Amino acid sequence: MIRIGKPRNARSKRALAERDPKLIENQKTTLILRGTSASETIQSVLTDLHALKKPASIKFSKKNDIHPFDDHSGFDFLSGKNDASLVVLGSHSKKRPHNLTVARTFDHKVLDMLEFGVDEKTYKSLEAFKEVEKPRVGMKPLLLFSGAAWEQSDQMKRVRNFWMDFFRGENVKAVDVEGLQYVLSFLAAEEGKVHIRGSMIRTKRSGQKLPRVEVEETGPRLDLTVRREQEAQPEMWKEAIKTPFKQVTKTKKNISTDIIGDKIGRIHTGKQDLSKLQSRKMKGLKKRDIDHMDMDDATLVDEEEAAPKRARRS
Amino acid sequence: MSTTAAAAAAAKREKLVVTVDKPIPLEFDMGHLTAFDNNPLDPELYRTNREACLTAAMRDGAQALINQVLTVLPLKATADGIFAELPDPVTTLPREKPIPKDREPTKWELFAKKKGIKAKKKDGKLVYDEEKQEWVPKWGYKGKNKEAEAQWLVEVDDKKAHSSHCEKPRQPQRNTVSGRLRRLFAAPKEGHVALCFDRGQRG
């Protein structure tokens, strides 16, 4: 691990605090690397992934002699150094042509790894779709996992989970509907094969409430074959999927703030007893007088009540 | 002529299908803006014209997603545009770093908790002066404690009429000349003789 001393100034202190574990995490940063040998195709794939993941992406252009399935210490090191938790390595060899290795890290240690072969013949980069508009930087993509193969095996489920994690982008509470223009589809008809297609959404008026959606392919067009895989160790996975207890803040009732920023409180007083309300005092309005007036059928009761009182007084 | 064209256009528009009907209903995880369509892709089309097959599946998925956003999610119109509020995500995705641990309480914090000591609340240096209708410092220059000095007329307490205290109400009595003298010649306590003597010499 990288040795980090005590921060000497406020700026480095802030930078270190940014790297600290957080309850609500930052967006995962992607680190894009190339191996010692990388074909043009795989380099283009890396450029595409970088373009889609910007601004939370770092792309290195120097060659890295990393063979993650033999020894992933290189991934651990670079992940820690760059505070990146998604690592992509593109390489090309006779045994594994156009090879794309992707890994997730937890606490700067490799959690799980997947290896894909890119089909050179069908590959089309973002650049290749010239006329079509490109997704803007930082645009949150809509993700679509289509096909029966996704549910067929555990491996495919893990692949799905990985790509979802890779492209989910920033954690947000709300999205601008206007900004939902790019859809990334992961289609799988048979096991071990994934077709990735990116396209822009075009909406048409349909004469109904909802618009008619059409898609226009804008790339990248990637056909992947699953090669090797390193699963996450169960205990590490368990640690990684822990969710912190939600801190539920009790909303204080009846307190609100108006546009100016003044605090407004609403209080409830009990219902006023109007019978006890003291009105203007007048002889003619005295209560007792009213009682005396309709004594016709209450005479008996009154006398009974009055009798013990009199006895007490005497 | 134009009316028939408009009618035809309207009819055409009505033909556009905006719903997605699939044998297996789609699942959504709108927290991640994701749709899961587990219906198999058309195998015949997949073999003969792959791109058409994929595009069809993609279009349906996109339509379903947009429909979901516009119908299910709560929409909020603001000055910056219409925002769709996202629910909490359903799919478990691993964290990047472990959950932060609570900081260990310091020795003082433990002690304070045991003793029930709470931090004293600062209540500020200023007080509101009703007469001046403004905030003045509690003490010091133009302070609230200097009020007595600024009075042009002070009521004299008969009992204390002869002490110098009433001339300078703020000054502690022990620092006045009479106060010092009184202390100096007061009957010394045992053991304090030398000190008193010393003072007498100096004064």
Side-chain angles (χ1 to χ4, degrees):
Chain A
M1 209 29 226
I2 307 130
R3 198 177 59 87
I4 295 167
K6 242 185 173 179
R8 293 281 171 87
N9 56 33
R11 192 181 58 175
S12 54
K13 198 176 176 184
R14 279 197 298 274
L16 275 186
E18 186 68 13
R19 300 172 71 119
D20 276 345
K22 293 187 188 68
L23 215 58
I24 295 159
E25 299 200 297
N26 305 336
Q27 186 181 1
K28 288 187 177 184
T29 308
T30 314
L31 181 67
I32 298 174
L33 309 166
R34 59 161 286 178
T36 41
S37 60
S39 62
E40 215 166 286
T41 308
I42 204 72
Q43 285 185 52
S44 175
V45 171
L46 295 182
T47 312
D48 284 354
L49 289 179
H50 181 55
L52 291 178
K53 286 294 293 180
K54 262 187 231 172
S57 172
I58 305 165
K59 187 167 178 278
F60 286 163
S61 52
K62 277 192 183 170
K63 294 174 182 178
N64 287 285
D65 190 11
I66 298 174
H67 300 277
F69 280 90
D70 303 331
D71 174 22
H72 57 66
S73 60
F75 271 13
D76 296 350
F77 173 77
L78 287 168
S79 156
K81 188 103 177 155
N82 298 291
D83 195 23
S85 50
L86 294 165
V87 189
V88 181
L89 176 78
S91 59
H92 180 72
S93 67
K94 205 171 184 184
K95 196 173 177 185
R96 296 192 184 84
H98 314 295
N99 201 34
L100 190 72
T101 313
V102 288
R104 278 189 283 198
T105 67
F106 175 66
D107 204 10
H108 304 313
K109 285 179 192 70
V110 167
L111 178 70
D112 56 355
M113 276 196 290
L114 281 159
E115 201 175 55
F116 299 99
V118 179
D119 191 342
E120 189 197 8
K121 282 170 206 149
T122 55
Y123 171 69
K124 258 181 126 178
S125 71
L126 271 169
E127 289 297 307
F129 295 88
K130 279 207 179 90
E131 286 85 51
V132 191
E133 197 192 337
K134 298 284 166 275
R136 265 174 273 148
V137 170
M139 203 181 247
K140 207 171 158 71
L142 295 165
L143 302 178
L144 168 69
F145 291 88
S146 191
W150 287 117
E151 289 286 334
Q152 267 169 15
S153 71
D154 285 345
Q155 193 190 37
M156 286 305 275
K157 280 180 191 167
R158 287 194 296 270
V159 171
R160 182 171 70 179
N161 188 288
F162 178 84
W163 284 120
M164 208 172 150
D165 200 3
F166 192 86
F167 283 111
R168 72 168 147 163
E170 208 169 348
N171 287 325
V172 285
K173 284 269 153 253
V175 286
D176 191 352
V177 175
E178 197 78 342
L180 303 176
Q181 290 180 5
Y182 184 62
V183 60
L184 255 176
S185 323
F186 299 80
L187 306 121
E190 47 199 282
E191 216 192 304
K193 288 219 166 192
V194 182
H195 308 283
I196 301 179
R197 298 285 181 277
S199 41
M200 297 303 279
I201 290 177
R202 300 272 170 264
T203 48
K204 279 185 190 168
R205 269 191 219 147
S206 65
Q208 296 156 64
K209 242 186 182 180
L210 293 166
R212 163 80 180 178
V213 171
E214 295 294 344
V215 289
E216 197 175 358
E217 199 174 350
T218 183
R221 183 187 285 183
L222 269 168
D223 289 337
L224 303 177
T225 327
V226 181
R227 282 180 183 155
R228 287 181 290 179
E229 190 199 4
Q230 183 181 307
E231 270 183 65
Q233 284 162 0
E235 60 266 32
M236 200 173 177
W237 181 260
K238 206 175 151 195
E239 193 66 29
I241 58 167
K242 265 187 191 168
T243 47
F245 285 114
K246 265 198 191 144
Q247 284 165 332
V248 184
T249 46
K250 260 192 185 173
T251 48
K252 278 184 182 169
K253 273 169 125 186
N254 302 341
I255 295 177
S256 57
T257 333
D258 65 3
I259 318 157
I260 306 158
D262 289 342
K263 207 178 196 182
I264 296 172
R266 187 154 44 94
I267 57 167
H268 289 276
T269 54
K271 203 175 182 186
Q272 197 176 9
D273 189 0
L274 288 172
S275 66
K276 280 179 185 163
L277 187 74
Q278 181 65 59
S279 61
R280 192 166 171 193
K281 282 179 184 172
M282 270 166 73
K283 224 174 189 182
L285 290 173
K286 274 193 177 171
K287 247 187 180 176
R288 200 185 292 161
D289 292 5
I290 298 160
D291 290 344
H292 278 284
M293 273 161 78
D294 49 6
M295 268 172 65
D296 307 331
D297 47 1
T299 323
L300 253 174
V301 184
D302 267 357
E303 273 184 0
E304 269 174 16
E305 272 177 10
K309 270 185 195 169
R310 232 175 274 143
R312 222 193 296 148
R313 255 180 238 150
S314 60
Chain B
M1 190 65 197
S2 62
T3 49
T4 50
K12 200 180 172 189
R13 214 179 285 155
E14 262 172 40
K15 268 180 202 166
L16 293 174
V17 185
V18 294
T19 50
V20 181
D21 292 317
K22 297 236 171 174
I24 308 171
L26 272 68
E27 288 170 37
F28 296 94
D29 181 357
M30 292 318 281
H32 293 313
L33 288 172
T34 307
F36 304 103
D37 177 6
N38 294 327
N39 294 289
L41 301 171
D42 186 356
E44 188 59 38
L45 200 59
Y46 184 74
R47 245 185 301 116
T48 52
N49 189 352
R50 184 164 296 179
E51 286 313 316
C53 164
L54 298 181
T55 308
M58 205 150 63
R59 196 218 72 81
D60 287 348
Q63 176 85 59
L65 269 164
I66 293 290
N67 289 359
Q68 191 78 2
V69 169
L70 295 179
T71 55
V72 176
L73 297 187
L75 297 175
K76 243 188 193 170
T78 65
D80 301 329
I82 301 167
F83 283 81
E85 283 174 27
L86 301 181
D88 286 337
V90 184
T91 317
T92 1
L93 296 174
R95 291 173 65 85
E96 171 180 37
K97 282 162 201 169
I99 298 165
K101 288 189 186 92
D102 289 341
R103 183 176 60 85
E104 289 248 323
T106 61
K107 233 175 173 182
W108 160 251
E109 280 167 349
L110 286 173
F111 178 74
K113 198 185 169 193
K114 199 172 131 197
K115 289 279 186 183
I117 301 168
K118 274 171 196 150
K120 194 183 156 194
K121 213 179 168 188
K122 283 186 181 172
D123 47 1
K125 284 179 180 174
L126 298 177
V127 280
Y128 193 72
D129 194 327
E130 289 288 345
E131 282 171 29
K132 289 181 193 166
Q133 296 285 312
E134 63 183 10
W135 291 86
V136 294
K138 279 182 186 167
W139 52 274
Y141 179 62
K142 285 185 179 173
K144 192 86 175 162
N145 66 339
K146 295 281 164 67
E147 249 178 13
E149 285 172 29
Q151 300 292 327
W152 66 277
L153 185 70
V154 178
E155 193 186 342
V156 176
D157 190 347
D158 280 340
K159 283 173 195 167
K160 294 174 188 171
H162 298 295
S163 79
S164 58
H165 182 61
C166 54
E167 286 160 23
K168 287 184 178 176
R170 279 293 307 155
Q171 204 160 30
Q173 219 165 350
R174 60 194 164 89
N175 283 342
T176 57
V177 177
S178 63
R180 275 190 198 167
L181 282 172
R182 199 166 353 105
R183 261 187 303 156
L184 195 61
F185 295 109
K189 282 177 193 169
E190 245 179 292
H192 285 194
V193 182
L195 189 68
C196 279
F197 178 69
D198 220 333
R199 276 195 182 177
Q201 284 271 308
R202 228 194 286 150

